[in-house]
Amino acid sequence: MSKKKIMLGNQAIARGAYEAGVKVSSAYPGTPSTEISEFLAKYDEVYTEWAPNEKVALEVAIGASFSGVRSLACMKHVGLNVASDPLYTFAYTGVNGGSVIVVADDPGLASSQNEQDTRMIARSAHIPLLEPSDSEEARVFIKFAYELSEKYDTPVILRTTTKLSHSQSVVNIEEREEVTDKVYERNIKKYVMMPGSAIGRHVAVEERENVLQRDASEFPVNKVEIKDRKLGFITSGIPYQYVKEACPDASVLKLGIINPLPRKLIKDFVKEVECVYVIEELEPVIEEQIKSWGIEVKGKELFTKQGEYSANLLKKAIYGKDDAIFSADKVPARPPILCSGCPHRSVFSVLNKLKIHAAGDIGCYTLGAVAPLSVIDTTVCMGASISVLHGMEKAKGKDFIKDWVAVIGDSTFLHTGVNSLINMVYNKASGTVIILDNRTTGMTGHQDHAATGKTLKGEETYAVNLETLCRAIGVPNVCTVNAFDVDTLEKTIKDCVNGSVLSVIIAKAPCALLKGQKFPYKCVSDAEKCKKCGMCLKIGCPAITRNVDGTVTINDTMCNGCGLCMSKCKFGAISKVER
Amino acid sequence: MKSANIMVVGVGGQGTLLTSRIIGNTALNAGYDVKLSEVHGMAQRGGSVVTFIRFGENVAEPVVEAGDADILISFEILEAMRYAHYLKKDGIIIVNDCKIDPMTVVIGAESYPENIIKKLGEKHRIHTIDGLSAAKDLGNSKVLNSVVLGAAAKFIGFGKSEWEDVIKVTVPTKTTDINLKAFEKGYGE
């Protein structure tokens, strides 16, 4: 059966993994990788789960591989940092059942805290890395990755980027291959990485990489297109498409395997073409290796290490002109904002009123850093809010953090925040941590987690109780407050930051976009009573706009009736009415 | 059209994604190679969003470059202005006559430009529709996307029934009828 369908890159990766006979998949959501697991969960033949973090996810995939089935772990680039501990040693143990790690990089920072390049990590971990350039290749390459994994006894990384993961193109779907499970056999020289065995495995890793580099030139994932012998490109992934668009008549060596590089293939190509450019988004991973072999190519001296490329960017660098006809008009920026009815806004409006700084974390609530809420002072990585606050207290004392809190989402808290909280308990901290518990993983598009009571497959399960968890690890003061009850919230925050013990406030209310939410009320403003003070505008709700005369209008389709604006109006000009 | 570069722009949450997927699948059913590029994650939260749809015999990159867009479909007028420079010389703007203040305007840091439609009309071909009123007439403000799509469909091409076939399998089943009516309303205008 071969059927044409238009598929998102991530959907095609899921399809390819399914067709390759994958049996176990574990992941933590992270843009732009999230949809892979969501699509894969639709196949009954594959066990799929959300893990609390990427380290756990990869270890689950490792266990499944050791036991003898094909396994998958998916994550975004920064998630691989969390998973790097098992990653580097998985390179040593190798696999039993084939194992692939899909890592989604985010050049251009559509939804991330940095622009790191996974290809660098693959090199340092000595793990083969493949990179497709459209949805069909994503499906085909991941199947090839499983073949490589089993043939060379190694985990394989499939690198995708935002533009590949979140673009759709035509895919020819095929049937699932039923792969026979491998037998598990005890083998401590391979699976127990104590020094005595790891020394031997390190030798095996080097040998494997040498063999792979030799064989890579023959892999079907690479493609040579000899056309114009004056102008040529070595490229891979989505940038290949930009090359085809900008210079359709040029010669191209399109690399499917990036680590190790197919040296012979590259050397042969460079001999055929006069002037060769290396086009790769982010770091000069391919370029620097080629240059180290004494071969002259052009690359980052012309092309940026930042952001996404485009055909116009290439044309400008190579020909000095692009296709643009009109110049862009200067228009007001429209950055992302917290949604109307978002419970984070309520908590931030209280913190703003109390002039409290927040050590922030990764999630929609990072948006609390910008005007008009302007509450969050720091954001580093998943879980860092709690440890950053702790570091501040240990550096400058209790007085320094009396107007500080840490804010972290429920999913992020379970990801890596809980370790930081254990550290606070253990090391006698006295700070205040607010868990913004909106009952979901919000920013990535509403994925369940260990405290929601639902699995990735949609089955009912035990829900971790955050309050009980915090008490169990020894937090002396734990309280749960309705995130929209601003009066109680204000009193609780004041009590906690002025208290002498470590406190956790769980500010609870579901995300406004969560499925099944009902909004029976909406807020309306009364122009007669409005004193044009603008207090309601200070909460940064997208449903409220100022009219020319200074009064406000509340958009009735956008308003979710949370009533936060009403609580800010001292003149009773805003009221809640039934829809 | 034998090939086309189309952009759908708007404010996160306005439904640009679904509209783009309908355009993409209609082109696929007509036998074209199709590529779409979408925005997910943080940018979706009320920010400026852009989706690209390209179809033709062979499509390389999934994005439309500045200077190459045939059609710019915008659900909001400021967003039309933000992306108008992507158009070809004879490209056309299909714009829903709706104004949503960005937070930078709400807090007074920037001001919303005036006479946007008139200004855009001086440089580009422009087709304006009041999608919200049309949708409200039908009794559901949420189907304004289908009204706008209907208006754009006439410029993109394909037969009316080819569009309707895709709408039927793309929108939630409960809303099929009203979305088809909304499409017709835009298409007929």
Side-chain angles (χ1 to χ4, degrees), chain A residues 261-280:
Chain A
L261 284 174
R263 199 160 168 166
K264 182 177 179 299
L265 195 68
I266 292 170
K267 284 187 161 176
D268 290 349
F269 177 78
V270 174
K271 274 183 214 153
E272 299 281 329
V273 185
E274 223 169 89
C275 172
V276 176
Y277 293 89
V278 177
I279 307 293
E280 52 189 325

Side-chain angles (χ1 to χ4, degrees), chain A residues 92 189 192-202:
Chain A
Y92 277 37
K189 287 269 172 224
V192 182
M193 283 303 98
M194 52 191 171
S197 345
I199 287 171
R201 290 305 300 172
H202 194 176

Side-chain angles (χ1 to χ4, degrees), chain A residues 6 8 35 111 163 166-168 241-242 245 310-312 323-324 326 332-334 336-337 442-443 540, chain B residues 21 25 35-38 40 42 45 48 54 60-61 63 65-66 68 76 79 82 100 103-104 110-111 124:
Chain A
I6 179 164
L8 202 61
E35 301 83 4
S111 198
K163 213 30 115 241
H166 290 161
S167 68
Q168 300 207 25
Q241 309 293 359
Y242 302 141
E245 201 73 39
S310 68
N312 271 352
D323 288 349
F326 303 102
R334 192 189 297 275
I337 43 170
M443 190 166 73
Chain B
R21 287 177 180 181
N25 276 297
K35 284 191 180 169
L36 270 87
S37 177
E38 311 178 343
H40 297 231
M42 185 183 261
R45 304 276 174 264
S48 165
R54 304 187 67 209
E61 63 174 334
V63 293
E65 302 278 342
D68 290 339
E76 200 269 353
E79 295 312 307
R82 189 185 311 282
I100 299 172
M103 200 45 64
T104 47
E110 294 188 84
S111 53
H124 311 279

Side-chain angles (χ1 to χ4, degrees), chain A residues 4-6 8 31 35 110-111 133-134 163 166-170 238 241-242 244-245 310-313 315 323-339 363-364 366-367 371-372 442-446 513 537 540-542 544-546 556-558, chain B residues 10-12 21 24-25 28 32-48 52 54 59-63 65-68 76 78-79 81-82 84-90 100-107 110-113 120 123-124 132 136 141:
Chain A
K4 265 191 180 181
K5 274 186 94 169
I6 179 164
L8 202 61
T31 313
E35 301 83 4
S111 198
S133 71
D134 61 23
K163 213 30 115 241
H166 290 161
S167 68
Q168 300 207 25
S169 59
V170 182
I238 280 284
Q241 309 293 359
Y242 302 141
K244 295 302 284 180
E245 201 73 39
S310 68
N312 271 352
L313 180 138
K315 284 179 190 169
D323 288 349
I325 301 159
F326 303 102
S327 51
D329 284 308
K330 200 180 163 343
V331 294
R334 192 189 297 275
I337 43 170
L338 296 173
C339 309
C364 290
T366 312
L367 296 168
M443 190 166 73
T444 45
H446 305 101
L513 301 183
L537 294 166
C541 176
I544 312 173
T545 49
R546 195 192 275 274
D556 67 344
T557 47
M558 280 171 98
Chain B
V11 177
R21 287 177 180 181
N25 276 297
L28 180 76
Y32 289 104
D33 185 23
V34 182
K35 284 191 180 169
L36 270 87
S37 177
E38 311 178 343
V39 175
H40 297 231
M42 185 183 261
Q44 278 179 296
R45 304 276 174 264
S48 165
F52 302 104
R54 304 187 67 209
V59 178
E61 63 174 334
V63 293
E65 302 278 342
D68 290 339
E76 200 269 353
L78 179 64
E79 295 312 307
M81 193 176 191
R82 189 185 311 282
H85 67 284
Y86 272 77
L87 286 165
K88 282 180 180 167
K89 203 154 202 161
D90 56 350
I100 299 172
D101 284 350
M103 200 45 64
T104 47
V105 169
V106 173
I107 62 171
E110 294 188 84
S111 53
Y112 200 100
L120 289 174
K123 281 196 268 184
H124 311 279
L132 188 63
K136 277 187 173 167
S141 59

Side-chain angles (χ1 to χ4, degrees), chain A residues 281-548:
Chain A
E281 282 175 339
L282 300 178
E283 301 297 324
V285 175
I286 302 171
E287 178 192 339
E288 282 185 350
Q289 291 184 75
I290 296 177
K291 282 182 171 167
S292 78
W293 306 335
I295 296 171
E296 206 179 301
V297 287
K298 291 178 184 167
K300 295 296 177 187
E301 62 268 40
L302 285 165
F303 305 100
T304 172
K305 286 184 192 171
Q306 293 164 17
E308 295 184 299
Y309 285 5
S310 68
N312 271 352
L313 180 138
L314 264 57
K315 284 179 190 169
K316 230 178 193 161
I318 296 165
Y319 304 120
K321 65 176 177 70
D322 62 26
D323 288 349
I325 301 159
F326 303 102
S327 51
D329 284 308
K330 200 180 163 343
V331 294
R334 192 189 297 275
I337 43 170
L338 296 173
C339 309
S340 53
C342 173
H344 303 330
R345 174 178 292 106
S346 179
V347 177
F348 290 160
S349 76
V350 174
L351 292 173
N352 179 296
K353 183 181 171 194
L354 298 174
K355 298 194 166 53
I356 287 179
H357 304 254
D361 224 294
I362 306 287
C364 290
Y365 46 88
T366 312
L367 296 168
V370 297
L373 294 161
S374 313
V375 162
I376 286 180
D377 277 28
T378 70
T379 296
V380 183
C381 65
M382 297 284 285
S385 56
I386 299 175
S387 0
V388 163
L389 180 70
H390 179 69
M392 286 180 168
E393 180 180 357
K394 293 304 170 189
K396 291 204 159 171
K398 165 85 183 131
D399 273 358
F400 183 78
I401 59 151
K402 71 178 190 311
D403 55 354
W404 276 80
V405 295
V407 294
I408 184 166
D410 44 343
S411 189
T412 310
F413 177 70
L414 290 172
H415 178 279
T416 34
V418 66
N419 321 48
S420 305
L421 190 61
I422 291 170
N423 186 48
M424 283 183 105
V425 173
Y426 174 48
N427 289 306
K428 303 175 184 180
S430 66
T432 299
V433 174
I434 302 179
I435 301 176
L436 302 165
D437 182 6
N438 66 352
R439 315 305 302 147
T440 189
T441 317
M443 190 166 73
T444 45
H446 305 101
Q447 290 71 35
D448 281 293
H449 58 67
T452 66
K454 276 246 170 78
T455 69
L456 170 56
K457 289 273 189 186
E459 292 157 2
E460 303 278 328
T461 185
Y462 179 78
V464 172
N465 183 310
L466 297 180
E467 192 173 320
T468 314
L469 173 64
C470 293
R471 286 187 203 286
I473 61 174
V475 178
N477 182 31
V478 185
C479 33
T480 300
V481 181
N482 175 353
F484 286 111
D485 181 354
V486 284
D487 294 335
T488 309
L489 202 56
E490 185 177 330
K491 189 184 171 302
T492 310
I493 293 171
K494 272 187 190 163
D495 289 349
C496 290
V497 294
N498 293 322
S500 57
V501 298
L502 171 62
S503 300
V504 170
I505 303 167
I506 301 167
K508 206 168 178 172
C511 168
L513 301 183
L514 204 57
K515 250 192 184 160
Q517 288 266 91
K518 295 221 167 13
F519 302 101
Y521 302 101
K522 64 176 179 182
C523 294
V524 290
S525 60
D526 182 343
E528 302 271 301
K529 289 185 189 163
C530 178
K531 301 281 187 238
K532 306 173 187 177
C533 68
M535 280 305 285
C536 59
L537 294 166
K538 288 195 174 160
I539 58 171
C541 176
I544 312 173
T545 49
R546 195 192 275 274
N547 301 321
V548 184

Side-chain angles (χ1 to χ4, degrees), chain B residues 9 15 23 32 34 38 45 49 53 55 57 59 63 72-73 76 88 102 112-114 128 139 151 156 161 169:
Chain B
V9 304
I23 300 172
Y32 289 104
V34 182
E38 311 178 343
R45 304 276 174 264
V49 289
I53 307 115
F55 65 83
E57 204 178 315
V59 178
V63 293
L72 171 66
I73 302 167
E76 200 269 353
K88 282 180 180 167
Y112 200 100
E114 291 187 10
T128 312
I156 301 171
S161 64
V169 296

